[in-house]
Amino acid sequence: RFVAAGPEDPRHGGRRAEARGGEGETPRAGAELLQLADSLFAAGRAPEAGKAYRRAVELLADRDEPIVGLVRCLAEQGRHDEALAVLDKAERAHSGSALLLGERVLRYEIAGRGRDAIELLKLPYAKQS
């Protein structure tokens, strides 16, 4: 009922996704949370988007997109060290991901760590991506 009363309210989208997850529709719930997080981030609401991305990471453990979204939210909030820590953890679980490698290179470049970015691109798995 609350979703029908205000479908454009992001909180309702999050609640709907959580309800789906509770019913066992984990992939659909994760996809809805990812979409919600993307729209919140695009609207300049990085802290709220970060919460949705964190939950999407849990529901979509095999996908890189929510991780990258979370990293971008953290960076937008000036939490660069935390963003890199999230990438470190994700790379251990998703070894060889071109998307995560690209995001790490970008984060190093933005942080003025060009040499670190170049070293990443020299890694064997980077050449396969």
Side-chain angles (χ1 to χ4, degrees):
R1 283 185 264 162
F2 59 83
V3 174
E8 69 285 339
D9 188 331
R11 292 173 300 174
H12 298 325
R15 290 178 184 141
R16 181 179 54 242
E18 289 295 341
R20 286 192 203 289
E23 293 173 352
E25 295 183 47
T26 305
R28 186 172 177 188
E32 287 181 4
L33 279 169
L34 183 57
Q35 185 177 18
L36 170 65
D38 289 343
S39 66
L40 288 168
F41 187 72
R45 298 167 66 179
E48 293 170 80
K51 291 177 185 175
Y53 281 125
R54 280 188 195 279
R55 183 66 176 128
V57 166
E58 294 170 5
L59 295 174
L60 302 172
D62 61 334
R63 293 190 44 194
D64 297 333
E65 297 92 334
I67 296 165
V68 170
L70 175 58
V71 166
R72 291 177 181 173
C73 282
L74 292 169
E76 180 71 23
Q77 297 172 71
R79 297 162 59 186
H80 303 287
D81 291 339
E82 188 177 348
L84 286 172
V86 167
L87 279 171
D88 284 341
K89 181 180 176 184
E91 283 183 34
R92 286 191 293 276
H94 301 243
S95 182
S97 165
L99 185 59
L100 295 179
L101 173 67
E103 190 64 27
R104 178 173 291 286
V105 169
L106 175 64
R107 293 294 134 213
Y108 280 166
E109 280 293 319
I110 290 171
R113 296 173 57 184
R115 286 189 177 156
D116 291 331
I118 290 170
E119 290 304 313
L120 278 178
L121 293 172
K122 292 179 182 177
L123 294 173
Y125 70 88
K127 295 173 186 171
Q128 297 171 356
S129 301

